[in-house]
């Protein structure tokens, strides 16, 4: 495991080199003499996970890098993947979408929204330094809009999730709607 973590650091250095395009096979060979056996082995998933590992390697905070590495190994090797890319875009059922859309616009238009506190995973460009790796502050945070429909949405989407997972699922939590301001990004998180 420690040699794998070392490889993540080496992969990051190679992935950020401007001299040549990133070559995942060479990077793994040079760092480990081993390549992760991403599951499934589809080209789209392997390419995605290679990019993900290179992204993790560029994280400067060692705890976040370690967390990202563990999640990537779990996601890319140990957890069953049901689609070629690990995700799929599907239409939201109208009976879920319409009430959520209407409740969101009613709440938004009447000002029923609150700035969230500082969220470590929501980043904005720091206007003074240009750094894009800092949490949004000073009125640039995301908004949280409470529609009161979390449970209804969770239950309404359950059949889609069960079809994708090919298993019966027990709904647990839906967080609500977060609205991001222009220029913000949600970073990979665990």
């Amino acid at each position: 495991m420690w040699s794998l973590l070392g490889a993540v650091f080496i992969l990051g250095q190679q992935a950020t080199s401007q001299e040549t395009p990133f070559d995942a096979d060479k990077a793994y060979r040079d760092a480990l003499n081993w390549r992760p056996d991403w599951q499934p082995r589809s080209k789209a998933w392997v390419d995605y996970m290679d990019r993900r590992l290179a992204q993790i390697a560029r994280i400067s905070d060692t705890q976040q890098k370690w967390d990202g590495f563990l999640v990537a190994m779990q996601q890319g090797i140990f957890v069953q993947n049901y689609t070629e890319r690990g995700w799929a875009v599907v239409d939201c059922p109208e009976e879920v979408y319409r009430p959520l859309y209407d409740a969101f616009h009613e709440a938004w238009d009447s000002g029923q929204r609150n700035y969230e506190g500082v969220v470590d995973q929501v980043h904005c460009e720091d206007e003074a330094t240009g750094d894009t790796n800092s949490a949004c502050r000073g009125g640039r945070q995301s908004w949280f809009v409470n529609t009161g429909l979390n449970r209804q949405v969770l239950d309404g989407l359950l059949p889609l999730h069960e079809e994708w997972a090919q298993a019966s699922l027990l709904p647990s939590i839906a967080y609500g709607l977060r609205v991001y301001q222009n220029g913000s990004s949600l970073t990979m998180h665990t």
Side-chain angles (χ1 to χ4, degrees):
M1 184 64 98
W2 289 108
S3 63
L4 272 176
L5 184 58
V8 170
F9 288 92
I10 293 168
L11 289 172
Q13 292 171 346
Q14 293 178 2
T16 56
S17 170
Q18 299 299 319
E19 298 169 13
T20 58
F22 179 61
D23 180 347
D25 289 323
K26 180 180 182 327
Y28 287 121
R29 189 175 54 252
D30 291 351
L32 291 171
N33 199 24
W34 172 82
R35 191 185 210 310
D37 187 16
W38 303 124
Q39 298 296 320
R41 293 183 178 108
S42 70
K43 179 170 179 14
W45 184 247
V46 169
D47 290 349
Y48 173 78
M49 289 308 300
D50 286 345
R51 286 191 312 274
R52 170 65 58 93
L53 211 56
Q55 176 191 18
I56 293 165
R58 292 189 298 267
I59 297 172
S60 57
D61 181 275
T62 55
Q63 183 62 55
Q64 289 180 7
K65 186 179 291 195
W66 175 248
D67 292 344
F69 171 74
L70 291 179
V71 168
M73 290 298 113
Q74 177 185 16
Q75 178 184 24
I77 297 174
F78 302 118
V79 175
Q80 182 176 354
N81 186 341
Y82 299 98
T83 61
E84 179 184 1
R85 289 191 172 98
W87 50 270
V89 176
V90 298
D91 290 330
C92 182
E94 182 68 19
E95 63 272 14
V96 174
Y97 170 77
R98 182 51 53 189
L100 185 60
Y101 178 90
D102 292 343
F104 166 77
H105 283 284
E106 181 181 327
W108 185 265
D109 294 344
S110 67
Q112 296 176 21
R113 56 184 181 256
N114 300 307
Y115 280 119
E116 283 193 301
V118 174
V119 178
D120 289 338
Q121 291 79 22
V122 180
H123 289 187
C124 292
E125 182 175 351
D126 184 308
E127 293 172 351
T129 66
D131 177 23
T132 59
N133 197 25
S134 59
C136 300
R137 291 180 167 72
R140 297 181 67 207
Q141 303 97 300
S142 52
W143 289 289
F144 182 78
V145 180
N146 184 3
T147 63
L149 298 174
N150 290 2
R151 189 66 200 192
Q152 181 179 336
V153 169
L154 190 63
D155 291 340
L157 293 176
L158 182 61
L160 287 174
H161 296 145
E162 289 182 333
E163 179 184 346
W164 181 83
Q166 301 167 11
S168 295
L169 301 173
L170 180 64
S172 59
I173 191 164
Y175 294 102
L177 296 177
R178 177 183 282 159
V179 180
Y180 299 96
Q181 296 193 53
N182 288 341
S184 59
S185 61
L186 178 64
T187 61
M188 182 179 63
H189 57 284
T190 56

